[in-house]
Amino acid sequence: MITWPGQARCAVAVTFDLDAELFWHRLHPGAAERPKTLSLGEYGITRGTPRLLDLLGESDVPASWFIPMWTLERHPVAVERIRERGHEIACRGVADEVLGALEPERQAETVDRAACALEKVTGSRPRGFRAPPGRVGEGFGDVLAQLGFGWSSTLFGDDVPHYLESGGTSTGVVEVPRRWEHTDHPYFAYNGGPVAFPPGRSRIASHEVVLEEWKTAFDAYHREGLCFVLCLEPQVIGKPGRALLLEELLRHIRSRPGVWFATCGQIAEHFRRHGGQNPPGHPERVRATWTEN
């Protein structure tokens, strides 16, 4: 079991993907001609993000914001507000590239381009990365290490941080793993056709059901001393009723003893200093073995 700072029982990271209108552009080429669909993303920038920044401030919770270059170029004021509030800003690629479909050299060029854009606006080069949707492919960890990234929050292979491996060895890049179950999209994201999400299915979950699901999941992570990572999007969770859900969840988490709220970067750095290497049989080692064969 990983030991957390201050004898905390578990770690909690609240993360946001600031995809905005890009989410819909990725989903369907026709989105560009549909202002109603794009307005969902605009809402996330103009209403969701300010509401969530206020909530985080009132709750005294640090967050990690993953920002694509596409969003940075169209909404620099929103990014500046996030930076001014002291939250961690990490990289989410350029736009709709599928990294696993690119050769390693082209992957590196693309990720570096996005990182340089963030550095120009924020004044510091991002240390963390979350890949855009789509496969990342072999060599992902090597590319991040080559570009100076210290951590990623992209994969799903564990409940605690670990090192990304490549060719049977550690890349030195710490993965802070996440879960679809702790993401708002599967429960709440919705749009009608033809830019439909989810395709062919209609559902919007109730606030109460999702809140109880997340509370129960957190309590299990807390009991086992793990790393609980929430993955949210302002256009989804940033609406008034859903923001109340998040506020209630954070209040529930704070009610438990020994909780360390931290950014993904802080969690990765703590693991780097105290976590050691991936143990034998770790899912990341197993995956690397499959690739080698």
Side-chain angles (χ1 to χ4, degrees), residues 16-26 38 40-46 49-50 65-82 89-97 113-115 117-118 121-122 130 132-133 185 232-235:
F16 296 91
D17 296 336
L18 198 64
D19 288 346
E21 303 97 320
L22 178 60
F23 177 86
W24 303 104
H25 284 292
R26 286 171 176 152
L38 297 181
L40 295 166
E42 293 165 3
Y43 181 92
I45 293 292
T46 59
T49 297
W65 292 73
F66 296 87
I67 301 176
M69 193 176 89
W70 191 98
T71 304
L72 175 70
E73 290 179 337
R74 287 159 180 79
H75 303 292
V77 174
V79 177
E80 178 60 19
R81 285 175 179 164
I82 294 167
I89 293 179
C91 186
R92 189 161 160 77
V94 171
D96 58 356
E97 68 274 14
R113 183 181 168 208
L118 275 177
V121 171
T122 65
R130 176 173 287 164
H185 273 142
L232 309 170
E233 228 277 15
Q235 65 182 292

Side-chain angles (χ1 to χ4, degrees), residues 14-230:
V14 180
T15 75
F16 296 91
D17 296 336
L18 198 64
D19 288 346
E21 303 97 320
L22 178 60
F23 177 86
W24 303 104
H25 284 292
R26 286 171 176 152
L27 195 65
H28 195 287
E33 306 300 326
R34 295 185 174 275
K36 282 199 298 184
T37 295
L38 297 181
S39 69
L40 295 166
E42 293 165 3
Y43 181 92
I45 293 292
T46 59
R47 293 289 182 262
T49 297
R51 179 174 291 119
L52 293 168
L53 287 174
D54 288 344
L55 189 161
L56 293 170
E58 292 164 2
S59 304
D60 193 25
V61 170
S64 301
W65 292 73
F66 296 87
I67 301 176
M69 193 176 89
W70 191 98
T71 304
L72 175 70
E73 290 179 337
R74 287 159 180 79
H75 303 292
V77 174
V79 177
E80 178 60 19
R81 285 175 179 164
I82 294 167
R83 189 193 66 81
E84 288 175 349
R85 295 294 187 101
H87 297 291
E88 180 175 58
I89 293 179
C91 186
R92 189 161 160 77
V94 171
D96 58 356
E97 68 274 14
V98 177
L99 292 178
L102 304 175
E103 294 296 325
E105 183 177 341
R106 181 65 178 143
Q107 288 185 47
E109 292 174 358
T110 303
V111 175
D112 185 54
R113 183 181 168 208
C116 288
L118 275 177
E119 182 178 10
K120 186 176 181 180
V121 171
T122 65
S124 59
R125 188 172 176 86
R127 289 275 293 159
F129 187 82
R130 176 173 287 164
R135 61 190 173 95
V136 293
E138 182 57 18
F140 173 62
D142 287 331
V143 168
L144 295 186
Q146 171 191 338
L147 296 174
F149 284 93
W151 60 272
S152 157
S153 182
T154 299
L155 307 183
F156 307 93
D158 206 345
D159 301 308
V160 291
H162 55 274
Y163 284 110
L164 293 178
E165 298 199 9
S166 179
T169 60
S170 171
T171 63
V173 176
V174 177
E175 177 68 24
V176 182
R178 56 190 180 128
R179 284 275 171 269
W180 283 124
E181 306 94 286
H182 310 153
T183 302
D184 52 8
H185 273 142
Y187 302 102
F188 293 135
Y190 176 81
N191 191 45
V195 191
F197 187 90
R201 302 188 66 182
S202 177
R203 63 88 183 84
I204 295 177
S206 74
H207 294 185
E208 291 78 9
V209 168
V210 178
L211 178 59
E212 288 307 310
E213 166 71 18
W214 286 351
K215 282 182 176 179
T216 302
F218 167 74
D219 286 345
Y221 273 63
H222 181 264
R223 184 178 64 180
E224 296 191 24
L226 306 174
C227 179
F228 185 75
V229 179
L230 271 176

